[in-house]
Amino acid sequence: MYSANLTGFGLAVASSAFIGSSFIIKKKGLQKAGASGTRASSGGYGYLWEPLWWIGMVTMIVGEFANFVAYIYAPAVLVTPLGALSIIVSAVLAHFILKEKLKKLGVLGCLLCIVGSVVIVLHAPREHDLNSVDEIWALATQPAFLLYTVSAVAITLVLVLYCEPHYGRTNIMVYIGVCSIIGSLTVMSIKAIGIAIKLTLEGSNQAANFQTWVFVMVSVTCIITQLNYLNKALDTFNTAVVSPIYYAMFTSLTILASAIMFKDWSGQSVSNIVSALCGFLTVLSGTLVLHSTRDPDPPPSTDMYAQLSPQISWLIHANGEIWKQKEDSLHSEFVAIIRQDHFK
């Protein structure tokens, strides 16, 4: 049990490093694409022609693949909360690349994330043995999980069809809500596919079962939807706001979905369950502390003349000489006098 959990832990840590880096690379690509065309938050897809965005996508795919394999060896209750480590990577890189300052208190947030992750690893439940996709299908079609799935789809439709046109650009919970809800279904389908691949490699071919391909179609649909709305959230709101809210909602819903479908806590002692939940709350606290210390993005300037004003130079005639001086190095009162004379 511990060997499998440690393998999943190692893969989850590697995944976090790649995914955390991809957030920053994709953000830079979105900014570059938005500077020369319609932004993703306004329905534009110019970032698809931006090489930097694709580098970020490849980095994220590598991270997600490592995450995918981690779900084969360890339960979602262990793997998903470790996604907080990607936020540490994102915060450090954002400090140097995006100039989103990481203050000293942010270090405390990083330490809390690490401590919470260790607690989760030590008290994570054992993965239940599944011998066929039919068993996974039975878990996915049980009444409790079907109720969760129907509720998730209904809420997502409300967010997409009603809330997004009215509040998408002003309320971050619209985009993040879609990402998180669909993301929890993504993890469940990905885990089912991972188990099917593992069983196939062990000699029990699962590719002939139609249930396997149903899980594949569900996962592809969910991933495309999740990435689309994550792009919109990153392009519209500050990374320091997107990351912690997305992590908190996505992880909480994934743990809930996994507990309903795979019954992760079945047979576990109360102390293990409480310890694992405390570890998750510690990670969540660290995430909130980490991002509460980061400065928000400065609002973009829409005044073209305000942007150009530092470049204006003035010609001053005095004693037959011509001086050329930039406005930003002159005294404010002197500049005011020059302006009056200049525009007469």
Side-chain angles (χ1 to χ4, degrees):
M1 176 184 74
Y2 293 109
S3 176
N5 278 2
L6 285 176
T7 301
F9 169 75
L11 289 167
V13 171
S15 169
S16 295
F18 282 104
I19 293 175
S21 302
S22 74
F23 267 93
I24 305 304
I25 299 172
K26 287 173 64 181
K27 177 83 172 183
K28 291 292 290 184
L30 289 169
Q31 289 176 344
K32 191 173 180 181
S36 58
T38 305
R39 299 178 60 181
S41 58
S42 301
Y45 294 92
Y47 59 85
L48 295 176
W49 284 266
E50 176 54 50
L52 194 59
W53 185 85
W54 280 109
I55 293 174
M57 267 305 297
V58 171
T59 305
M60 173 173 277
I61 290 171
V62 172
E64 292 294 352
F65 178 76
N67 201 46
F68 168 76
V69 179
Y71 280 113
I72 297 177
Y73 291 96
V77 175
L78 167 61
V79 176
T80 306
L82 293 178
L85 300 179
S86 68
I87 300 179
I88 297 177
V89 175
S90 175
V92 173
L93 293 179
H95 175 77
F96 294 103
I97 298 176
L98 299 180
K99 307 304 178 184
E100 296 176 4
K101 188 176 180 182
L102 177 62
K103 300 178 181 178
K104 292 182 179 180
L105 191 59
V107 178
L108 174 61
C110 293
L111 292 176
L112 287 173
C113 289
I114 294 173
V115 171
S117 299
V118 172
V119 173
I120 291 172
V121 171
L122 294 177
H123 298 278
R126 180 181 180 275
E127 180 81 330
H128 296 294
D129 293 328
L130 296 169
N131 299 316
S132 69
V133 172
D134 291 332
E135 293 183 22
I136 306 173
W137 184 259
L139 295 174
T141 55
Q142 59 183 311
F145 189 72
L146 285 178
L147 178 60
Y148 176 85
T149 303
V150 171
S151 301
V153 172
I155 294 173
T156 299
L157 289 175
V158 171
L159 290 174
V160 171
L161 299 178
Y162 176 75
C163 296
E164 182 182 357
H166 295 87
Y167 311 108
R169 298 296 299 274
T170 57
N171 192 328
I172 192 174
M173 297 305 294
V174 176
Y175 294 149
I176 297 300
V178 175
C179 289
S180 302
I181 295 170
I182 296 299
S184 66
L185 298 179
T186 301
V187 171
M188 298 303 103
S189 57
I190 285 292
K191 186 169 181 63
I193 296 170
I195 294 173
I197 293 174
K198 181 182 178 182
L199 292 172
T200 300
L201 294 176
E202 291 175 351
S204 177
N205 186 13
Q206 303 296 314
N209 294 340
F210 84 93
Q211 294 97 331
T212 301
W213 299 105
V214 171
F215 286 126
V216 170
M217 289 186 292
V218 170
S219 63
V220 170
T221 303
C222 289
I223 288 172
I224 292 173
T225 304
Q226 190 177 354
L227 287 177
N228 183 37
Y229 279 89
L230 181 58
N231 281 333
K232 291 184 177 183
L234 286 172
D235 194 42
T236 307
F237 303 98
N238 191 300
T239 308
V241 179
V242 173
S243 295
I245 297 177
Y246 177 52
Y247 169 78
M249 288 190 64
F250 171 67
T251 305
S252 300
L253 290 173
T254 299
I255 290 176
L256 175 61
S258 183
I260 295 173
M261 179 173 173
F262 291 101
K263 297 179 173 60
D264 292 322
W265 302 112
S266 177
Q268 300 296 311
S269 66
V270 175
S271 60
N272 265 351
I273 296 174
V274 172
S275 297
L277 291 177
C278 287
F280 168 61
L281 291 176
T282 302
V283 172
L284 180 58
S285 300
T287 303
L288 296 175
V289 170
L290 174 62
H291 287 280
S292 67
T293 62
R294 291 168 59 184
D295 297 326
D297 286 336
S301 175
T302 57
D303 188 354
M304 180 181 68
Y305 298 104
Q307 295 176 356
L308 295 176
S309 60
Q311 305 298 326
I312 298 176
S313 298
W314 301 92
L315 295 176
I316 306 173
H317 294 268
N319 298 326
E321 297 181 357
I322 299 178
W323 301 343
K324 189 174 183 180
Q325 182 68 40
K326 286 187 177 181
E327 176 182 341
D328 55 5
S329 63
L330 295 176
H331 192 277
S332 58
E333 295 179 356
F334 190 41
V335 171
I337 295 174
I338 296 174
R339 279 179 174 161
Q340 293 174 5
D341 293 339
H342 181 78
F343 290 105
K344 280 184 179 180

